[in-house]
Amino acid sequence: MERVEAELFTDGGNDVVVRLPGRNFPGVLIQGDTLSTLQADAAELVELCATGDLEEARYVASLLHADLGTKLVRYTEALEAHGISRPF
């Protein structure tokens, strides 16, 4: 393990925006339990598509899309608040 100082652009939570030394742009640190939930949601979506349950698949996909969208908004707002252009 290596200890480094990082720049914190948002308050704590399950998806903080931080910049590590040597990086031009900040990233999003997602807690392990949150990452596990995202993976489980994607796995459920794959399974629903495989079984042909498209109505439920659309619902799960919309939830996953909304969750990732919320994280992206938090990220872009943090960049804007600190005068950093988007890397995309």
Side-chain angles (χ1 to χ4, degrees), residues 12-51:
N14 288 332
D15 51 2
V16 297
V17 178
V18 297
R19 181 165 47 195
L20 296 175
R23 301 298 303 193
N24 290 327
F25 293 98
V28 177
L29 172 66
I30 299 175
Q31 294 297 312
D33 59 334
T34 302
L35 180 59
S36 177
T37 299
L38 287 171
Q39 190 278 333
D41 290 346
E44 180 182 5
L45 179 57
V46 168
E47 180 63 25
L48 290 166
C49 288
T51 62

Side-chain angles (χ1 to χ4, degrees), residues 42-64:
E44 180 182 5
L45 179 57
V46 168
E47 180 63 25
L48 290 166
C49 288
T51 62
D53 189 350
L54 298 184
E55 185 175 331
E56 188 66 17
R58 279 188 203 96
Y59 175 72
V60 171
S62 70
L63 294 177
L64 184 58

Side-chain angles (χ1 to χ4, degrees), residues 68-82:
L68 291 171
T70 299
K71 291 175 186 345
L72 185 59
V73 166
R74 181 169 161 93
Y75 177 77
T76 57
E77 286 177 350
L79 293 182
E80 290 172 7
H82 292 89

